[in-house]
Amino acid sequence: MTLFISAVVICFLSLQSLEAIPAYIESQFPTALGNDTRPQLQPGGYDNTIFGIPNFFEYEIMYVENDLVLVWRPISGKWQLHKVNHNCGGECAIVNEDPISYGFWPDRKFHKLTFMGCHKTTGYAHILEVDPATGDYWVVLFDHNNHVDPFIQTVAHYRRLDMTQFKIVYTGRDEVFLYDGNSDRYRVYLVEPRLPLNNGEDPIGPFEPLAQGSYSLHEQLIYTGNNIVMDYSAVTGEYSIYLYDRSASYDEAPFKNVTESGTLGKGFQLTYLSENHILAMDPNTGLFKAFSIHGTTVGENVSFFGFGTLIQGDLCSDKTECSGCVRKDGCGWCDKSHSCLRGGYDGPCTTNCTGFELNVCPGLPCNTHRGCSSCLADPFCGWCADTNTCTEGSMSGPLFGSCAFSKVECPVYVAQKDSINPPCEEEI
């Protein structure tokens, strides 16, 4: 299974984005057989029995090359190309919300797209395009400098029954892992990097898989480089990190040694962005945040940063009341203008506001605070640890009654606000 690469490619090896299951549509679908995979789920009434699609959601996102992500809407054929901001600081969206180019691919509706790495032989990134209804697939050259249409040339075309049944994950070094969540079956192939091919030549081979068998995985598998994969369930929020063994063959599974397991939260679509950053996006709303992976570990307490949105024009403007505004990460309430603005502890991003608050709503009683963090941020309130309630009081104690009262610190078990690093990109 190991393929030797003799030269350094000119763009970053990058990863496929996989589908997530938004929590609020989860209850609409029957429980899948086997493990917690949901290979046939999709929102909005799009019927897989009609289109023959493994799974689709409103928006998909994949890292393509050179700090760029492609946002793809398969139900309409619309696409957008966005820049990744790895080093812009904690108070910016990790993906720039203004697209650098966008367009429409009517002939690619309901197709699946997978990034297949960058290649010295062609000088471009390779994208695998699959029609799950027919099993047809194409390898297309991708040039991000072509803003009219970055898909510049089709260099291979073939048809396989596998493509109507299996999800595809690019695992680097011209290797692909195909997985069927219903049966837990998997297959491993190599993809031909030397393109174009003649008509009738299959870019995926050999005819018999390098490895095949059965292995229980969640519905998302993300390759993070250096022979490391993350297995994530959008239904339960659980994840596991494995070492990926390219020497596995026949019925030997390529997943070795679970290095870490934990919980991230439900309903995300995960995409590896290079430089140890993973994007977690809600594929229906476009709201996203990022977290770091360090080698084979995420860490016990996952810290999110880089909040933003790829679909809404403004992350915060839809919140018209203070209570809803301060509960949204990356947003704060301006009492002067009675508006919800993007910002951080230094103030709003793009305007001035003398009464800007991330956690506190002026004039509201203390018992409206949901947690200790926002309670202690209100100068008139304190937290009762024995009743888990917020009440009026001073350093001498609560104003009414008695409790385990504090205006200084929260009990260790009380969760803090999701991040102290809200986004601060220019308003759209």
Side-chain angles (χ1 to χ4, degrees), residues 4 6 30 53 77 80 147 190-191 203 220 226 228 242 309 314 370 384 388-389 403 406 412 424 428:
F4 178 75
S6 59
I53 296 166
Q80 301 166 197
H147 291 185
L190 293 177
V191 181
Q220 294 191 53
N226 299 315
I228 299 168
Y242 297 90
T309 176
D314 188 324
R370 298 189 307 156
C384 293
N388 289 332
T389 57
C403 67
S406 175
V412 294
C424 206
I428 298 176

Side-chain angles (χ1 to χ4, degrees), residues 306-384:
F307 294 89
T309 176
L310 289 171
I311 300 175
Q312 297 175 347
D314 188 324
L315 183 67
C316 307
S317 62
D318 62 322
K319 300 300 180 183
T320 58
E321 296 182 354
C322 177
S323 58
C325 176
V326 298
R327 285 199 296 265
K328 195 167 186 178
D329 297 304
C331 301
W333 183 255
C334 179
D335 192 49
K336 181 179 179 180
S337 62
H338 296 284
S339 58
C340 189
L341 304 174
R342 298 178 61 177
Y345 288 112
D346 293 332
C349 292
T350 59
T351 187
N352 293 320
C353 178
T354 54
F356 186 73
E357 293 287 350
L358 285 178
N359 296 291
V360 178
C361 290
L364 292 180
C366 294
N367 61 12
T368 60
H369 295 293
R370 298 189 307 156
C372 178
S373 178
S374 62
C375 177
L376 298 190
D378 191 324
F380 301 104
C381 304
W383 185 254
C384 293

Side-chain angles (χ1 to χ4, degrees), residues 10-11 64-66 68 79 81 83 100-101 123-125 141-152:
I10 60 174
C11 47
V64 285
E65 58 167 339
N66 298 345
L68 295 172
W79 61 270
L81 199 61
K83 184 71 175 176
I100 61 175
S101 59
Y124 297 102
L141 300 185
F142 182 91
D143 180 8
H144 68 274
N145 293 311
N146 190 328
H147 291 185
V148 176
D149 186 351
F151 279 28
I152 59 172

Side-chain angles (χ1 to χ4, degrees), residues 101-240:
S101 59
Y102 56 91
F104 177 54
W105 291 324
D107 296 334
R108 293 191 171 96
K109 287 184 181 180
F110 301 107
H111 288 190
K112 302 293 288 186
L113 304 178
T114 305
F115 177 78
M116 306 297 288
C118 301
H119 296 272
K120 187 179 180 67
T121 54
T122 62
Y124 297 102
H126 294 181
I127 305 293
L128 182 67
E129 176 188 351
V130 177
D131 183 350
T134 65
D136 282 280
Y137 59 96
W138 301 261
V139 177
V140 185
L141 300 185
F142 182 91
D143 180 8
H144 68 274
N145 293 311
N146 190 328
H147 291 185
V148 176
D149 186 351
F151 279 28
I152 59 172
Q153 183 184 356
T154 300
V155 290
H157 172 222
Y158 206 72
R159 178 180 292 182
R160 274 178 180 251
L161 181 61
D162 303 38
M163 299 303 178
T164 66
Q165 301 170 316
F166 289 85
K167 298 179 183 179
I168 304 167
V169 182
Y170 180 64
T171 54
R173 301 188 187 180
D174 299 315
E175 190 169 295
V176 287
F177 182 85
L178 276 64
Y179 179 66
D180 177 9
N182 269 341
S183 65
D184 291 340
R185 291 180 301 154
Y186 70 85
R187 297 175 184 177
V188 179
Y189 294 100
L190 293 177
V191 181
E192 176 59 61
R194 294 165 296 186
L195 301 169
L197 298 180
N198 296 323
N199 289 335
E201 288 187 284
D202 189 354
I204 296 178
F207 181 77
E208 291 294 330
L210 297 174
Q212 61 180 326
S214 179
Y215 198 88
S216 181
L217 294 167
H218 299 304
E219 80 279 354
Q220 294 191 53
L221 194 68
I222 305 98
Y223 182 70
T224 63
N226 299 315
N227 298 324
I228 299 168
V229 293
M230 172 181 280
D231 177 31
Y232 166 73
S233 168
V235 177
T236 67
E238 298 172 323
Y239 73 89
S240 297

